[in-house]
Amino acid sequence: MKRASQPDTPADVSLRECITAMERKSFVVVAGAGSGKTTSLIKALASIVEVHGASLARRRQKVACITYTDIAAGEIWADVGQNPLVHVSTIHSFLWSVVRSFQSDIRAWVDRRIREKLAELRETAANYGPRVQQRTKEKNARDIARYEDELTRIARVPAFVYGTGSNYTKGMLGHDDVLRMTSELLRERPLFRTLVGQQFPFLFVDESQDTTQSVVDALKAVQAQLGNRFCLGFFGDPMQRIYPTGVGPIPLEPDWVQIDKPENFRCPTTVLAVANAIRRDGDDLVQTRGRTEVVNGGLKPVNGSARIFVLPADAKRDERIALVRKWVAAKQNDEGWQSGAGTDVKLLVVVHRMAATRLGFGDVYAALNDRAPSAFSENFLDASAWPLRPFMSFVLPLSDAIRNGREFEAMTILRRETPAFVKGATKGAKIALLLKEMRAASTALADLMAPGSKATIRDVLTFVQGKSLVSLDPRFQSHLDGRAATGGEPDEAEASVEDGEEVSKEVAAMDAFLRCPAEQLWSFRTYTSDLSPFSTQQGIKGAEFPRVLVVLDDEEGSGHTQFSYEKYFGIKQPSAGDLTNLADGKETAVHRTRRLFYVCCTRALTDLVVVMFSPDVATAERCIRASGIFPPDEVYGLQELEA
């Protein structure tokens, strides 16, 4: 059944009132996990088309719906029946569509951005302390030289396009620059705000809690200028904000409406009780209903199960998890808990060094997590860290298509990402020769990425750069130009990251990353694409599984100080930084961990099992019981497993 035809909830009725009234109301929808938030969004889109469709078509206007990923955009687009009156895209693509025609404004912004980066680099160099290593200083000097060179060449760039990463002299603007640039132009220029409102009198933002503050401010500026001629709607759940750049709650503006959607249609009653217990210290939303099933012609609640095991953090973690699965299989009379099929039980972990080692990307994991800058470690698990982007969006998909004979897909990737195929770049070129060269280069790339090729990540990046297969983020250049680190003992940058300099950490991390076997990225893609029995807790928002096993292990999550289950349960005391942040009204590791735990537990359709590994089992069990999140008779230890 299409979502638009499903029965209304009170939130759906309130939404319809906002968008069909003579004076439209902008709004914020707060919808908890499993509430059918996307269903409400699609029903609202359908209502706009039904009520305002003729007027929109007459004025050549559309309703815009922007979301976080291409996958989510595709699902919404399919659900609205691919209606030409509805424009569905990612946030980045939408913002680029707003500014792409204003090339002189883009050029001026790029010039200003380069000057800002130069000022930052020069200030950093001027304030280097005595412990900063020579490698770090050399990288800074190379970056300054590169930006100074770019500044002289920007005026000669024929046009700017939106690509995977930014390369100003080749006219490429990446995701981060598109977000920053368009947000600034919308906030500063009334003309841009007018154009957005005239083209899209209705604009909905999905997963609003993960939208950046700058984008929210820019869209609010459009609404403030146009008033009720522009209906702005945010759909999200602050308790499911995972990424540090997300805005979280959307403050209401005067005359805006907040619409709560408390229903949960996914979780059984036992899991819903756990979810509400986690959420009670986060906000005031209490979720209701729970999952139901048809029994003898009537709806009955699904009870399900929710339990936690508190186990020692020792060398027997794998054995203990296997023992838990065996125990639960017997308790539930459900052999699916012991099945070897990866999809039968979904294991959710914060940072799973064990999974990285098992699946074969341990070196990549260590390079971008252990002592790496926060920009790498915090964006590793969703593959958005900038060193990973060209592999996830280009190298791996192209190599996979070539190796499996999917010629059309390979050509589509090349046309989308390769500078030689950018619109206008092929004028006067010998197309047949160009295609032949790109085909040969793509085949050679697939060979480099083949299992057992022994190629390093440095080898692959050097190759794609030399063949101009893809426009690399300029930040790669400083590391590829620098002295290549050799194997054996850590180089001076790796040995000196304790100086606290993020740049020094970046140099060390990139040295280690460039030395990694390129073939490990296949296993990493399997992990991040949800194709293994493991998933990161950050990567499963919106997903649901019958059997969910959540692994809490602060020791394995070393390097990810933004989360701590021991602090969350009160097993470990807050750090001085946590106390300072709390006093300043800022979030702490406890806030972030609560949200992450809520997301994990609410994935379960039937059974939820949590395994907490702790070096102090007795204290951990006492604190977990005191939290009241799980019923006292559903808290277990090693003695129950071994009985």
Side-chain angles (χ1 to χ4, degrees), residues 373-423:
S374 57
F376 289 2
S377 59
E378 292 177 4
N379 297 299
F380 175 74
L381 295 171
D382 65 348
S384 65
W386 66 261
L388 292 166
R389 288 178 187 169
F391 293 95
M392 306 306 290
S393 64
F394 178 76
V395 173
L396 292 172
L398 178 61
S399 299
D400 186 51
I402 292 291
R403 286 168 55 193
N404 291 283
R406 300 194 301 272
E407 297 287 340
F408 179 78
E409 181 181 336
M411 183 51 61
T412 300
I413 295 168
L414 287 168
R415 287 189 179 279
R416 184 182 69 232
E417 303 289 351
T418 301
F421 292 115
V422 172
K423 186 177 180 181

Side-chain angles (χ1 to χ4, degrees), residues 57-90:
R58 188 168 58 253
R59 294 185 170 94
R60 296 184 178 180
Q61 296 174 320
K62 295 183 178 183
V63 51
C65 176
I66 57 179
T67 188
Y68 222 68
T69 65
D70 287 317
I71 294 175
E75 290 175 353
I76 294 171
W77 178 236
D79 254 310
V80 297
Q82 302 180 359
N83 193 303
L85 292 176
V86 181
H87 174 86
V88 186
S89 70
T90 63

Side-chain angles (χ1 to χ4, degrees), residues 526-540:
T526 296
Y527 186 50
T528 57
S529 300
D530 202 27
L531 300 175
S532 78
F534 302 99
S535 283
T536 60
Q537 292 176 12
Q538 293 93 324
I540 44 76

Side-chain angles (χ1 to χ4, degrees), residues 97-154:
S97 73
V98 171
V99 300
R100 64 187 175 194
S101 300
F102 298 88
Q103 288 291 320
S104 60
D105 294 278
I106 295 173
R107 192 182 311 277
W109 184 89
V110 170
D111 182 274
R112 187 168 70 249
R113 181 64 180 145
I114 294 174
R115 294 178 189 278
E116 289 173 356
K117 290 184 177 183
L118 276 169
E120 293 168 3
L121 288 165
R122 288 165 178 158
E123 182 179 2
T124 298
N127 291 290
Y128 274 145
R131 299 184 62 189
V132 175
Q133 299 297 310
Q134 186 61 30
R135 288 285 306 282
T136 301
K137 295 177 180 178
E138 289 173 357
K139 178 187 180 301
N140 180 283
R142 288 195 299 272
D143 286 340
I144 289 175
R146 173 165 54 83
Y147 282 123
E148 287 176 339
D149 176 62
E150 287 185 351
L151 202 56
T152 66
R153 297 164 63 187
I154 288 303

Side-chain angles (χ1 to χ4, degrees), residues 327-399:
W327 190 97
V328 176
K331 183 78 169 179
Q332 298 294 122
N333 192 26
D334 179 5
E335 284 303 309
W337 276 97
Q338 288 203 90
S339 169
T343 55
D344 283 352
V345 178
K346 182 57 66 174
L347 277 76
L348 305 181
V349 293
V350 180
V351 181
H352 216 299
R353 195 177 304 276
M354 177 177 62
T357 303
R358 280 180 173 181
L359 296 174
F361 61 94
D363 295 327
V364 172
Y365 173 85
L368 298 185
N369 275 278
D370 299 350
R371 300 190 300 170
S374 57
F376 289 2
S377 59
E378 292 177 4
N379 297 299
F380 175 74
L381 295 171
D382 65 348
S384 65
W386 66 261
L388 292 166
R389 288 178 187 169
F391 293 95
M392 306 306 290
S393 64
F394 178 76
V395 173
L396 292 172
L398 178 61
S399 299

Side-chain angles (χ1 to χ4, degrees), residues 218-372:
L219 296 178
K220 280 190 170 185
V222 177
Q223 197 279 328
Q225 177 174 314
L226 299 178
N228 58 28
R229 290 176 294 157
F230 180 73
C231 178
L232 178 60
F234 293 97
F235 293 75
D237 180 13
M239 191 57 66
Q240 296 187 73
R241 177 169 72 89
I242 298 301
Y243 303 109
T245 55
V247 66
I250 306 290
L252 293 178
E253 300 299 321
D255 299 325
W256 284 32
V257 177
Q258 176 164 320
I259 301 171
D260 291 339
K261 191 174 187 186
E263 296 89 354
N264 181 304
F265 300 99
R266 175 192 298 149
C267 299
T269 54
T270 50
V271 177
L272 186 58
V274 169
N276 279 328
I278 297 170
R279 189 157 190 151
R280 67 184 169 218
D281 295 323
D283 61 14
D284 298 326
L285 185 68
V286 177
Q287 293 192 268
T288 60
R289 190 183 186 276
R291 184 172 165 230
T292 60
E293 61 184 356
V294 178
V295 178
N296 297 325
L299 287 179
K300 299 289 184 181
V302 174
N303 191 45
S305 66
R307 49 177 64 93
I308 186 169
F309 293 82
V310 187
L311 304 175
D314 55 22
K316 296 182 178 180
R317 287 173 169 87
D318 282 2
E319 298 172 32
R320 302 271 161 74
I321 289 176
L323 200 56
V324 166
R325 292 177 64 160
K326 181 179 179 181
W327 190 97
V328 176
K331 183 78 169 179
Q332 298 294 122
N333 192 26
D334 179 5
E335 284 303 309
W337 276 97
Q338 288 203 90
S339 169
T343 55
D344 283 352
V345 178
K346 182 57 66 174
L347 277 76
L348 305 181
V349 293
V350 180
V351 181
H352 216 299
R353 195 177 304 276
M354 177 177 62
T357 303
R358 280 180 173 181
L359 296 174
F361 61 94
D363 295 327
V364 172
Y365 173 85
L368 298 185
N369 275 278
D370 299 350
R371 300 190 300 170

